[in-house]
Amino acid sequence: MEEARNVPMGKSPRPRAGEATELAESAWAIVLFCVACGAVAGALLPLLARLLLTLPWAPLEGPAELLTSVPEPALTLGTITVGVLGGLLLGFTAVDESLSVRVCDTRVTLAVRGSSQEFTREEISVLFRDGKQLVLLGPDGMERAREHSGLPWQRLADALTEHGYAWAEEDPHRAEFRRWVPGTPGLPPGADALLRARAQARKHEDDARDARELRDELLRLGVVVRDEEKRQYWRPVRRD
């Protein structure tokens, strides 16, 4: 059984034979950061409300008047409390969305959103960074995984290469991508409709799950998708 080892911050991983390297963001650090941001936002809210009321014309004037009608210190204490609770909720959500990576000589495991994906060495061709996302490609060029990552990229690259996995600074298939526009020729049947639906889903943050599911549907059709701002780019995967 392989021994797991967490990598200390600021140190390069040096795995021994048969030892696994685990990389994960600190849950406490994420939650405390969000709580601190919430508290600061709550403390500034009364000041912002008073500032709005001094302007000749201001949006949300009614809510600002209602807010400032609460006497101090109850007002500031109340807004700070609400900010802390909001930050706490945001922090727990961020922890659930944060990626952890376990690397050993035989497999790589990605854990996020309460589930994990495990890939054997034979299923992995190369891993690379695409903006803020970690991408794993199979030997056939198919995208096996794409997850947002807040992990230090150099530490992640070091852990992977020291266990013998290929790491690239950018997508080795980048030149093969073409920009999608409605009605693009060359797509497999049904892919254009999925890309249309995904373009709509990406306009709303609440539809992020739909966008991920539509990406998976496109992968099943042999289409890899890459996002750049509001644009979608695609490339076909040639299957034998």
Side-chain angles (χ1 to χ4, degrees):
M1 184 173 180
E2 291 159 333
E3 179 185 354
R5 179 172 64 93
N6 291 316
V7 181
M9 289 296 292
K11 296 186 179 180
S12 178
R14 301 294 179 188
R16 296 186 296 271
E19 183 180 58
T21 303
E22 292 187 356
L23 296 167
E25 295 181 77
S26 169
W28 280 109
I30 294 173
V31 172
L32 288 176
F33 175 78
C34 291
V35 168
C37 289
V40 171
L44 293 176
L45 186 58
L47 297 176
L48 178 60
R50 295 188 185 99
L51 177 62
L52 286 175
L53 293 178
T54 63
L55 300 176
W57 178 90
L60 304 176
E61 184 175 351
E65 288 180 344
L66 180 62
L67 186 66
T68 55
S69 67
V70 178
E72 292 287 4
L75 174 59
T76 299
L77 290 175
T79 55
I80 290 176
T81 301
V82 171
V84 167
L85 293 175
L88 195 62
L89 178 61
L90 180 61
F92 287 136
T93 301
V95 169
D96 185 59
E97 292 284 335
S98 66
L99 176 70
S100 65
V101 181
R102 188 177 192 274
V103 188
C104 63
D105 295 341
T106 58
R107 63 184 60 84
V108 172
T109 304
L110 308 180
V112 65
R113 292 182 292 276
S115 62
S116 63
Q117 304 174 77
E118 186 174 277
F119 305 92
T120 64
R121 178 177 291 277
E122 292 72 23
E123 295 177 297
I124 302 171
S125 171
V126 63
L127 299 100
F128 64 91
R129 174 185 180 180
D130 185 14
K132 295 182 179 180
Q133 296 178 320
L134 172 65
V135 184
L136 186 154
L137 296 182
D140 57 356
M142 178 62 74
E143 190 175 284
R144 305 295 184 193
R146 175 183 287 267
E147 297 292 350
H148 184 278
S149 173
L151 297 171
W153 290 104
Q154 190 57 56
R155 287 175 58 209
L156 180 58
D158 290 345
L160 290 164
T161 55
E162 290 184 9
H163 279 280
Y165 296 93
W167 173 264
E169 293 302 320
E170 65 175 18
D171 189 345
H173 298 279
R174 189 178 182 86
E176 301 173 24
F177 282 90
R178 290 181 280 169
R179 183 174 176 180
W180 172 80
V181 294
T184 297
L187 284 164
D192 189 69
L194 290 172
L195 285 163
R196 287 173 187 265
R198 190 170 182 275
Q200 287 297 119
R202 291 185 65 236
K203 292 180 180 179
H204 309 286
E205 291 185 6
D206 293 341
D207 293 336
R209 181 176 178 180
D210 285 342
R212 286 194 298 269
E213 291 179 353
L214 289 165
R215 177 191 290 277
D216 292 340
E217 291 294 330
L218 286 160
L219 288 173
R220 281 190 274 272
L221 294 179
V223 175
V224 177
V225 184
R226 180 176 64 83
D227 298 321
E228 189 173 312
E229 296 180 349
K230 295 182 180 180
R231 301 183 294 272
Q232 295 184 105
Y233 292 80
W234 69 279
R235 69 173 173 86
V237 176
R238 295 174 179 83
R239 296 171 172 172
D240 298 332

